[in-house]
Amino acid sequence: MNIENFHSELKAELDLTQKYIMTFSESNDRLANKAIKHIVSNKGKMLRPILLILSGKYSFLASNENPKNENHFIDEVAKAAAILELIQMSSLIHDDVLDHSSHRRNKATLNSLKGNRFAILIGDYLVAQSIKNCYKLIHHSERLFGSTIMYSFLDGISKLVLGEVQQNNFNENLSENKNGIDNYFEIVGNKTASLFSLACFVGSTVGNNKSEHTELLERFGHNIGIAYQIIDDLRDFAFAKEISGEKNFQDIKFGIKTLPIIFANHFSQNGEQEKLATHFNSKKELSENDKLEIIEILKKTGSIERSIGEAKTHIAKARIILYELPENKYSILLSDFVCYLSDTCDKVIENINISVSVKQ
Ligand code: FPP
Ligand code: MG
């Protein structure tokens, strides 16, 4: 399963979403528009809009809505997906400032082109536009989902920011890690899974689903989001990254406590924690020997396997939740989405195996 399948299956809805992203992010300032165009044109895989649209279409079909309302529903679901993607874009602009990132998806970041102040303000503008357009969406809708959706978007933004605040404090010291694994899941639940569960919740609500199904879809999104973040953490150890021009071992260099590092620190002994701590947040590019030393600790503590286990557990949880929903065409596509994530996980694992065999 690859992401292009979803892009072609949902082409009409995703094109409409893209159109609304452009409309909602426009301003009457020339420089702001230029910057926003740069951001909007550098779109990612649109995972959250895909989940929102699939949950919406699942729910619209499941709720036996009058098909005459379908065009209106599609328009609202695309607007909701655009609002969500604007929040995501804004959070990435801010994240690049915090992480001092010069590139995202092989394109220069706004902070590297225009400086931190400008980038932060553009990020702020996009959140403001997303809230304003959420208000407009519910105000103009004839449906009754109004305040629920407004509240859930605001709650999602608040969790996202809180997750970043928590991560910031959490990353300060590698050895202060007694509750590291629990803290990790709480932080990732806020900073990453919040927007995935929001996508499913909002889609389902716009599609007029029963509340118990909406709740299941929300939990589905949460598990997908956690698995997605762990896979992203694992990617830092994948050697194929180097081939695509991105560097690996960057999370250690910049002091980000990813799940493999938390496990390594938790299960290591005999001075290994000190070895990890020397590299953590060193801001220096790691030498091949440093990398081999870290890989050795990761192997000894089974940290990669443990992290893969956690990613797979959350993928399995998401799959089980889908079994609880009455089946229709879109629950099958949601289960294809689970397969896509699972395949992505396997590809990352293959690349990590290469890194391990390099050492042997
Ligand atoms: C990616 O993290 C970033 C996030 C999951 C959330 C970032 C959120 C903020 C900075 C809070 C501000 C939010 C708003 C709405 C203004 P990562 O660094 O792990 O991933 P990356 O590899 O994609 O950079
Ligand atoms: Mg980042």
Side-chain angles (χ1 to χ4, degrees):
M1 205 62 201
N2 56 49
I3 200 66
E4 284 74 29
N5 297 110
F6 297 98
H7 290 164
S8 52
E9 179 69 38
L10 302 175
K11 185 169 180 349
E13 294 82 357
L14 287 170
D15 284 352
L16 194 56
T17 302
Q18 191 63 15
K19 188 191 107 183
Y20 281 126
I21 290 175
M22 291 194 283
T23 322
F24 293 170
S25 58
E26 240 175 22
S27 76
N28 51 19
D29 183 90
R30 192 181 60 82
L31 284 181
N33 278 346
K34 204 175 156 200
I36 290 163
K37 226 174 164 183
H38 176 79
I39 297 294
V40 171
S41 67
N42 191 18
K43 64 176 177 183
K45 299 187 198 77
M46 305 282 275
L47 299 181
R48 294 153 196 84
I50 289 173
L51 282 178
L52 192 152
I53 295 165
L54 284 179
S55 303
K57 294 193 90 168
Y58 169 79
S59 303
F60 188 82
L61 196 57
S63 63
N64 292 318
E65 273 248 15
N66 187 342
K68 272 204 296 193
N69 293 336
E70 186 157 7
N71 285 346
H72 189 230
F73 156 72
I74 296 289
D75 192 62
E76 288 188 338
V77 98
K79 280 180 178 156
I83 291 164
L84 180 66
E85 195 57 14
L86 282 186
I87 298 169
Q88 163 69 2
M89 283 175 182
S90 149
S91 78
L92 293 182
I93 296 174
H94 283 200
D95 183 66
D96 289 335
V97 172
L98 293 175
D99 292 350
H100 312 283
S101 305
S102 60
H103 285 82
R104 181 171 286 280
R105 304 179 194 123
N106 285 328
K107 256 188 155 181
T109 53
L110 206 49
N111 48 303
S112 71
L113 291 171
K114 294 278 174 191
N116 289 348
R117 287 164 67 98
F118 186 76
I120 294 217
L121 291 169
I122 293 293
D124 290 345
Y125 178 73
L126 293 184
V127 192
Q129 287 296 99
S130 73
I131 298 171
K132 187 173 84 186
N133 283 287
C134 183
Y135 175 79
K136 277 182 163 175
L137 166 69
I138 61 175
H139 192 67
H140 293 139
S141 178
E142 288 148 20
R143 292 144 178 265
L144 294 172
F145 54 67
S147 56
T148 328
I149 293 212
M150 187 83 213
Y151 178 82
S152 57
F153 268 115
L154 294 175
D155 188 48
I157 297 172
S158 137
K159 284 190 177 130
L160 180 63
V161 179
L162 182 68
E164 276 297 308
V165 173
Q166 290 172 315
Q167 169 157 292
N168 196 51
N169 302 338
F170 181 59
N171 284 342
E172 278 193 346
N173 190 342
L174 181 64
S175 48
E176 245 174 58
N177 204 13
K178 277 191 217 85
N179 306 315
I181 297 161
D182 291 344
N183 291 343
Y184 172 85
F185 283 107
E186 190 192 339
I187 293 169
V188 166
N190 283 330
K191 81 156 196 169
T192 310
S194 60
L195 289 198
F196 283 88
S197 57
L198 178 66
C200 297
F201 176 86
V202 169
S204 184
T205 308
V206 175
N208 220 358
N209 210 339
K210 290 191 186 123
S211 61
E212 66 265 30
H213 293 167
T214 300
E215 210 180 291
L216 285 171
L217 282 165
E218 199 179 4
R219 269 180 35 222
F220 166 81
H222 173 83
N223 283 294
I224 292 282
I226 301 272
Y228 172 85
Q229 183 62 56
I230 300 174
I231 297 167
D232 199 54
D233 286 2
L234 283 164
R235 202 174 269 127
D236 199 42
F237 301 99
F239 269 60
K241 259 193 134 180
E242 301 261 281
I243 300 161
S244 72
E246 283 178 77
K247 291 181 175 145
N248 49 24
F249 288 80
Q250 295 299 294
D251 289 335
I252 299 187
K253 173 181 160 189
F254 288 116
I256 299 168
K257 279 187 202 161
T258 59
L259 192 55
I261 292 300
I262 296 171
F263 276 136
N265 197 49
H266 188 84
F267 292 104
S268 60
Q269 38 187 270
N270 303 334
E272 284 163 349
Q273 282 184 347
E274 287 71 26
K275 275 189 197 162
L276 279 176
T278 351
H279 302 301
F280 189 73
N281 212 6
S282 65
K283 306 273 187 308
K284 282 202 309 251
E285 218 52 69
L286 269 72
S287 70
E288 284 313 301
N289 271 345
D290 296 338
K291 289 181 186 177
L292 290 177
E293 186 174 274
I294 292 168
I295 288 171
E296 193 54 38
I297 301 173
L298 288 167
K299 279 176 75 179
K300 254 171 120 173
T301 50
S303 300
I304 296 289
E305 290 80 353
R306 289 176 203 273
S307 304
I308 294 170
E310 286 292 343
K312 297 254 168 185
T313 302
H314 285 87
I315 288 173
K317 281 187 184 170
R319 195 170 270 136
I320 290 165
I321 291 170
L322 288 183
Y323 295 145
E324 292 182 50
L325 289 169
E327 190 178 284
N328 73 24
K329 179 182 172 192
Y330 296 101
S331 60
I332 296 172
L333 281 166
L334 283 167
S335 121
D336 290 345
F337 191 93
V338 180
C339 295
Y340 155 72
L341 197 63
S342 179
D343 292 351
T344 307
C345 185
D346 290 340
K347 278 183 205 144
V348 171
I349 296 168
E350 266 172 41
N351 281 303
I352 294 170
N353 286 341
I354 293 171
S355 80
V356 172
S357 65
V358 162
K359 167 142 186 31
Q360 285 163 347

